[in-house]
Amino acid sequence: MADQAMKSLGSVLARQGILVAFILFMVSFTLWNPRFIDIDNVFGVIRSSAILGIMALGVTFVVIGGNLDLSVGSMLSFSAIVVLDLHENPAFGPALAIPAMFAMTLCLGAINGFLIGYLRLNSLIVTLGMLSAIHGLTLTYSGGQNMDIANQNETWFDVFGRGEALGIPVPVLIFLLLAAFLGIVLAKTPFGRKVYAVGGNGTAATFSGIPRARVVFMTYLISAFCVATAGLIQASRTMGAQNTVGQGMELEVLAAVILGGASLLGGSGTIFKTVIGVLILGFIQNGLLLAGLEFYVQFVVTWIIIILAVWLDIATKRGKLWSPIA
Amino acid sequence: MTDHTPALRLEGIVKTFPGVRALDGVSFSVLPGEVHALMGENGAGKSTLMKVLGGIYQPDAGKIFIEERETEMRGPLEAKANGVMFIHQELSLAEELSVAENIYLGELPRKSFGRVDWATLYSRTDAILEKLKVGFNARTLVGDLSIANQQMVEIARALTVDAKAVIFDEPTASLTDAEKVVLFDVIEGLKAQGVGIIYISHRMEEIFKMTDRISVLRDGEYRGTLNTAETNEDEITQMMIGRSLDISRNVEQVELGPVALRVENLSCGHLFEDATFEVREGEVLGFYGLVGAGRTEIAETLFGLRKPTSGQIYLKGEAVKITSPIDAIAKGISLVPESRKEQGLVLGMNCRDNMTLPQVGDLTAGPFVSDGAEISIYDQYRDRLSIKSPSWKTAVGNLSGGNQQKIVIGKWLSMQPEVLIVDEPTRGIDVGSKSEIHNLLRGLAKQGYAVIVISSEMPEVLHVSDRIVAMYHGRIMREFCATEVTEDSLIQAISGIEGTAA
């Protein structure tokens, strides 16, 4: 009996380990500093997680499809810089700057998707290379200058980052709506099913008549679309941007997605879980700040979180913490 | 054989896997200087037994004795340390390394500071190679050797230790006749040195030529050991399959329909050449041959996974080009692939989603997948194929092999194909499910499907087919009618012995 109880406790821990860890973390931080679960603080965390969260939605598709996207950070810088620059360009203005920026960002996603989906190149290498290439592209485009909107009072452009609707900040609203939409696409449509199949077993998917290349290609387009949306919010919130605004975000995004329980091996994960992962990451970072640790500590913490999450994932699969095979 | 202490003795070995009793109390012994054949159908437990001997699996019960000393094999290194060596059917050599490095991999002789002592390595290796009388030396790259010579490297590896027992697993599968002669000489040599040899093969001719005694396994059970000189092929066959090879199946003569698929002079590089055959509605066409004979490649070409280099495919009399699996499915061809886990199923996905995967794009209500339509398909084929699964939500990876295979078959039946190709329908499946699947395939033909069955198991191909195509080295050697085929003629055809097409 006791043995049985230990076993079921073990399997709960294995399956819900991250949630359990999160609750422990929340409780201990609240005991440390009650301000942690102050309603304003909670909303603050959600609000500041929106940009990261939107990017994580897209990367969730890529990861479930069995690939990685490390180019989202520099792609975010690119889209923010481009939309700001075009906004300042009299030939465009805000109304044209936004669709133009989306088109350009989607092109970058299409390059990823073509190389990884159709040419079957390794996604780690392709997107790591893209990270660097897009960074160079952005710097070339901007000439290394930061972009700012000159007449901030004469544009409606700030609505995406600073606006509120129904008492909810617009970034949070976009995050939630996009999460709901993409969540339904992933869980309920034939396309979503194909993403799981391709990531779960690409060969079997091919043998089942699923166009593997096209499905992978689409996941990178979705990822790029999410980055463009996040870039728009980023640019609008600060009404200006540095060339490096998205630097390092690829790892945070990946941490959130894995933390939510999407397997790096592909084929598993959900949008809802990713949203949870985003919030967990947000609260951990916030908690560390409240604890008085320096902001830069979170880079180290992000890495630790990735390692733990990946380890937990693989340990759950093989039912052991360590094994010489498989 | 004056020494009667067995080199190797097994006592009551039991090994079970979820749902399968793979080995059920297997006991036999191998004397020093004896060549001992181990026979049985695929799935009889030979490979499981070898894995137990090699320390890859731990037996649930039973004992292993090396020279009457009880020995536990907890891993491959321990097996080697105890003098049990394997010559595998699939070679496990590093092609980029030299012969010497391969032979002493993991235990290269060392000098100070961990440097490899190349001189010793090469001289030791050459000494062993000399015994084997091979035409290459210690420095040759393994990748440059023929398959037969690579096998010699494996054998040389076995000679580096004081081997008590050497196990040959289908050693002649990829050898030419001349190469076989060399191999048999080597085995004779080992025998003379007093090594006990276990020889696994399906080829009766070799068994009777090479071995002293024969032990037979059937469905994981030990059926007995016979002196080779005192038995014959029929007796062994009967022990292996539990009946004398009675080919008269109770095939009801079904009225055959029109030709569903006709293939003319189809080639795909050197994988297969000049294949011509046809299959009618209501008929099962069996493809028999050794692994690598080109059977799977023909199936993959028909399913649009490979591009033919020449030839023509006709579906219902109409010339077609099949460019992709999507195209094949649209034209009514379904393929139950050879490897269920790698090609057939998404193991982490549930039963229902796996089954409906090829048609999920059509099972929609508005933009969404229709739960109801999916479940009704799943329920229908679960009942028809009597699939045993706790629920449709169960991940396919958690089912037994037989039920997994039924999910794959259900997946393709639910596409209502014109032509159903089934590659190795019962590989790795327990005996009960096997006959269920055989009956199912016969039943499908009766319902008017055109079925192609590819199999490496002779009883299977004899049991389910109306006609049998025998392949050898990418070519169709002969076509047999199931009522007039004999085991001998089939074996000759797939071994290339009778080179002329009938």
Side-chain angles (χ1 to χ4, degrees), chain B residues 143-352:
Chain B
D144 294 338
L145 297 176
S146 69
I147 298 288
N149 278 332
Q150 291 190 8
Q151 199 160 31
M152 288 298 163
V153 175
E154 288 242 336
I155 294 172
R157 197 192 264 172
L159 297 180
T160 59
V161 298
D162 177 23
K164 305 276 187 278
V166 179
I167 293 122
F168 287 84
D169 188 1
E170 296 271 4
T172 55
S174 42
L175 299 189
T176 64
D177 286 343
E179 290 165 342
K180 278 182 205 168
V181 173
V182 179
L183 176 75
F184 293 155
D185 279 350
V186 170
I187 292 177
E188 289 294 337
L190 285 174
K191 197 174 152 170
Q193 289 172 36
V195 176
I197 291 161
I198 297 182
Y199 191 92
I200 301 176
S201 175
H202 287 293
R203 302 186 182 185
M204 290 284 186
E205 193 192 305
E206 287 169 19
I207 297 285
F208 280 90
K209 185 174 157 205
M210 287 303 301
T211 68
D212 301 303
R213 289 193 297 164
I214 303 173
S215 287
V216 177
L217 295 183
R218 181 169 89 217
D219 302 341
E221 284 175 34
Y222 169 67
R223 307 302 300 187
T225 300
L226 300 171
N227 284 326
T228 309
E230 294 161 15
T231 181
N232 56 42
E233 291 189 19
D234 283 346
E235 192 178 7
I236 298 292
T237 311
Q238 200 171 339
M239 279 172 83
M240 276 166 58
I241 61 182
R243 59 191 150 87
S244 45
L245 199 64
D246 177 16
I247 302 166
S248 65
R249 306 157 300 129
N250 40 356
V251 177
E252 300 153 60
Q253 268 310 315
V254 182
E255 195 65 21
L256 292 188
V259 174
L261 169 77
R262 176 164 176 75
V263 169
E264 272 178 16
N265 306 105
L266 196 68
S267 301
C268 181
H270 291 291
L271 293 170
F272 60 87
E273 290 170 278
D274 230 7
T276 299
F277 60 90
E278 63 179 29
V279 54
R280 292 171 174 271
E281 288 177 10
E283 178 183 51
V284 177
L285 177 66
F287 269 80
Y288 186 59
L290 297 172
V291 172
R295 302 162 303 162
T296 296
E297 288 74 12
I298 289 185
E300 287 175 353
T301 306
L302 291 175
F303 196 60
L305 287 159
R306 293 177 188 275
K307 220 177 160 171
T309 45
S310 66
Q312 186 60 55
I313 301 167
Y314 300 89
L315 278 173
K316 290 191 157 178
E318 219 175 293
V320 292
K321 281 220 170 347
I322 299 164
T323 56
S324 68
I326 301 170
D327 192 25
I329 292 167
K331 292 189 163 87
I333 298 176
S334 282
L335 170 66
V336 175
E338 184 180 18
S339 162
R340 150 172 92 245
K341 289 189 170 144
E342 273 121 50
Q343 303 164 332
L345 295 167
V346 183
L347 291 176
M349 208 176 228
N350 68 44
C351 296
R352 182 198 70 180

Side-chain angles (χ1 to χ4, degrees), chain A:
Chain A
M1 279 302 280
D3 198 37
Q4 197 102 66
M6 281 304 290
K7 247 189 188 163
S8 63
L9 182 66
S11 80
V12 167
L13 268 178
R15 262 179 294 144
Q16 308 293 348
I18 284 166
L19 217 53
V20 174
F22 179 55
I23 290 166
L24 287 178
F25 177 87
M26 292 295 278
V27 169
S28 49
F29 260 87
T30 307
L31 292 176
W32 175 300
N33 188 343
R35 232 178 67 207
F36 188 57
I37 54 162
D38 190 288
I39 199 81
D40 286 339
N41 189 50
V42 169
F43 276 121
V45 169
I46 296 174
R47 186 177 187 148
S48 64
S49 300
I51 289 177
L52 180 80
I54 290 169
M55 292 162 76
L57 298 177
V59 172
T60 302
F61 276 77
V62 173
V63 169
I64 293 175
N67 294 299
L68 289 174
D69 192 348
L70 296 179
S71 65
V72 292
S74 66
M75 210 186 275
L76 180 86
S77 310
F78 172 84
S79 56
I81 292 288
V82 165
V83 78
L84 288 166
D85 178 69
L86 294 181
H87 181 279
E88 294 300 274
N89 185 331
F92 283 83
L96 282 179
I98 295 170
M101 176 274 278
F102 266 80
M104 290 164 78
T105 310
L106 285 174
C107 282
L108 296 177
I111 295 173
N112 277 335
F114 176 76
L115 294 175
I116 296 158
Y118 288 93
L119 298 191
R120 302 276 299 275
L121 304 184
N122 180 293
S123 68
L124 177 76
I125 300 302
V126 169
T127 60
L128 193 58
M130 273 301 260
L131 182 159
S132 168
I134 297 174
H135 186 54
L137 196 66
T138 310
L139 286 170
T140 311
Y141 184 91
S142 66
Q145 302 292 306
N146 294 341
M147 292 287 172
D148 285 298
I149 291 180
N151 298 313
Q152 305 202 353
N153 296 325
E154 290 170 21
T155 176
W156 47 266
F157 186 72
D158 65 348
V159 65
F160 304 104
R162 298 177 180 175
E164 273 195 15
L166 316 165
I168 305 172
V170 170
V172 175
L173 200 63
I174 294 177
F175 175 40
L176 294 179
L177 287 177
L178 203 55
F181 174 71
L182 291 177
I184 289 172
V185 168
L186 191 56
K188 299 286 179 196
T189 66
F191 171 73
R193 183 73 58 79
K194 291 174 185 175
V195 175
Y196 282 104
V198 165
N201 184 346
T203 309
T206 305
F207 272 79
S208 299
I210 288 174
R212 178 183 185 170
R214 194 193 309 161
V215 170
V216 169
F217 180 81
M218 285 301 295
T219 63
Y220 280 97
L221 276 193
I222 291 170
S223 179
F225 178 84
C226 290
V227 173
T229 310
L232 174 64
I233 293 169
Q234 177 68 49
S236 159
R237 186 159 84 180
T238 46
M239 299 296 268
Q242 298 177 342
N243 291 295
T244 53
V245 59
Q247 200 170 53
M249 282 186 82
E250 56 281 336
L251 274 191
E252 283 185 75
V253 166
L254 197 60
V257 172
I258 302 171
L259 208 47
S263 167
L264 277 185
L265 305 173
S268 74
T270 66
I271 288 291
F272 177 73
K273 284 180 174 173
T274 290
V275 172
I276 299 290
V278 168
L279 294 180
I280 293 176
L281 192 67
F283 277 109
I284 290 176
Q285 293 180 343
N286 175 259
L288 295 173
L289 283 178
L290 285 185
L293 291 170
E294 273 208 65
F295 173 77
Y296 305 106
V297 171
Q298 65 174 262
F299 295 120
V300 179
V301 171
T302 304
W303 176 79
I304 294 173
I305 290 169
I306 290 183
I307 298 302
L308 287 178
V310 171
W311 187 18
L312 203 66
D313 173 45
I314 203 92
T316 311
K317 284 229 164 60
R318 62 193 175 200
K320 288 183 200 163
L321 288 180
W322 184 86
S323 151
I325 49 167

Side-chain angles (χ1 to χ4, degrees), chain B residues 16-22 400 430:
Chain B
T16 51
F17 297 108
V20 196
R21 206 168 172 82
S400 71
D430 64 284

Side-chain angles (χ1 to χ4, degrees), chain B residues 19 32 260 391 407 451 490:
Chain B
S391 132
I407 296 268
V451 183
L490 205 47

Side-chain angles (χ1 to χ4, degrees), chain B residues 87-134:
Chain B
I87 313 298
H88 292 286
Q89 181 180 1
E90 277 152 36
L91 302 168
S92 50
L93 297 169
E95 301 209 335
E96 298 298 320
L97 298 182
S98 71
V99 169
E101 287 168 290
N102 267 287
I103 290 175
Y104 284 98
L105 203 62
E107 47 198 3
L108 297 171
R110 295 298 170 94
K111 292 192 290 193
S112 54
F113 300 109
R115 290 170 303 151
V116 174
D117 185 351
W118 294 103
T120 310
L121 174 66
Y122 289 135
S123 65
R124 273 194 209 167
T125 307
D126 280 328
I128 293 172
L129 294 179
E130 204 157 313
K131 276 195 234 169
L132 292 175
K133 300 193 190 72
V134 291

